[in-house]
Amino acid sequence: MKLGRILKNDKIEYGVQYENNWYKQDVNDDLHFLEQYQQNSLILTSHENLKDMEFEWLPPLARPSKILCVGRNYADHSKEQGKLPETKPIIFSKYSTSMAGHMSVIPYPSHTNNLDYEVELGVVIGKTASKLKSINEAWDHIFGYTICNDLTARDVQKSEKQWTMGKAFDNSLPIGPYIIPSDTIPKPTNNEIWLTINGEKRQLDNTNNMIFSIPYLIYYISQNITLEPTDIILTGTPAGVGFYMSPKNTLRQGDQISSGVSSIGELRFSIK
């Protein structure tokens, strides 16, 4: 079962994808959408086959309460930058206006000459977490998982002391296609995470290689920032980003990007 949003006939729909069918849900906001699943009140009667529909994928949530990101959470990604692994998580933010849906065509941003890619596993919070007492209890606060790409204006990021302008610009967060509820798949602690550009493999690693685990990140953040349902945490990207290749090989207009996490699926988008 997969939860998401689409644009169909100029109207936004929240719904459930089950096999190849789309089940529209009678909700109009993110929180009630998640609650409907948690309360086992999704409606799985009337449906349409996705292959027969004309629609556009939207980000699976419209306005997450917070979007928090983790920098340099894979040792090889730190190594390719000439840095030692971090001793505590680097946390920064993106915003709801940063998001773009599956199959989006993203304009090359005018404020950068080095648009870079970063595939990431996204964690969606389903239960408020504040000052958690233990790392292991963090699993109980996860609603589900999605695929993200932390597009980065690398030259802008490098020119400033903090990362907001280089990371949180419009369309800098392709996300989706949907959310996989956490109770429908095993914990994604041993998943292949990968990205290709025009069919060429650029990033390939395993979520086991995160420096700071999914539950630790939730525990760590919750000590100072209350996590709420609909919040999204991007858990970091592996090595292979274009800016640190020799020569640099960042994104260009016309590039087709595909990224994925093995138990969740595939997120695709392009640059124009």
Side-chain angles (χ1 to χ4, degrees), residues 115-240:
L115 181 65
D116 215 350
Y117 51 86
E118 296 188 4
V119 60
E120 310 207 12
L121 168 63
V123 177
V124 180
I125 298 298
K127 177 183 175 184
T128 299
S130 179
K131 300 186 184 304
L132 296 184
K133 297 296 189 292
S134 71
I135 294 171
N136 200 50
E137 69 177 298
W139 290 112
D140 297 332
H141 295 261
I142 296 173
F143 178 86
Y145 306 97
T146 190
I147 304 166
C148 304
N149 206 295
D150 174 18
L151 293 181
T152 303
R154 199 68 75 183
D155 43 356
V156 177
Q157 180 195 18
K158 296 297 181 184
S159 71
E160 298 189 347
K161 292 183 179 180
Q162 51 78 39
W163 295 354
T164 303
M165 296 302 289
K167 289 277 194 179
F169 52 93
D170 291 354
N171 297 310
S172 64
L173 177 52
I175 182 171
Y178 35 68
I179 299 167
I180 301 286
S182 61
D183 61 356
T184 64
I185 60 170
K187 296 171 182 174
T189 51
N190 186 25
N191 273 217
E192 187 175 276
I193 181 170
W194 55 269
L195 178 142
T196 67
I197 299 177
N198 305 322
E200 176 192 356
K201 189 65 67 70
R202 294 285 188 90
Q203 293 185 278
L204 178 62
D205 210 319
N206 191 290
T207 55
N208 251 343
N209 293 326
M210 290 182 189
I211 298 170
F212 305 106
S213 68
I214 293 168
Y216 181 80
L217 291 171
I218 294 170
Y219 166 83
Y220 176 83
I221 293 168
S222 80
Q223 301 311 303
N224 295 296
I225 300 172
T226 297
L227 292 168
E228 301 169 302
T230 75
D231 286 350
I232 299 172
I233 301 172
L234 277 64
T235 56
T237 196

Side-chain angles (χ1 to χ4, degrees), residues 71-86 205 211 237-241 244-245:
R72 296 198 289 264
N73 197 29
Y74 287 79
D76 284 349
H77 182 46
S78 295
K79 183 178 179 181
E80 71 180 348
Q81 300 177 56
K83 298 181 181 295
L84 294 174
E86 302 301 323
D205 210 319
I211 298 170
T237 196
V241 300
Y244 297 107
M245 292 181 174

Side-chain angles (χ1 to χ4, degrees), residues 3 42 47 95 135 165 182 238:
L3 280 64
L42 293 173
H47 65 269
Y95 308 103
I135 294 171
M165 296 302 289
S182 61

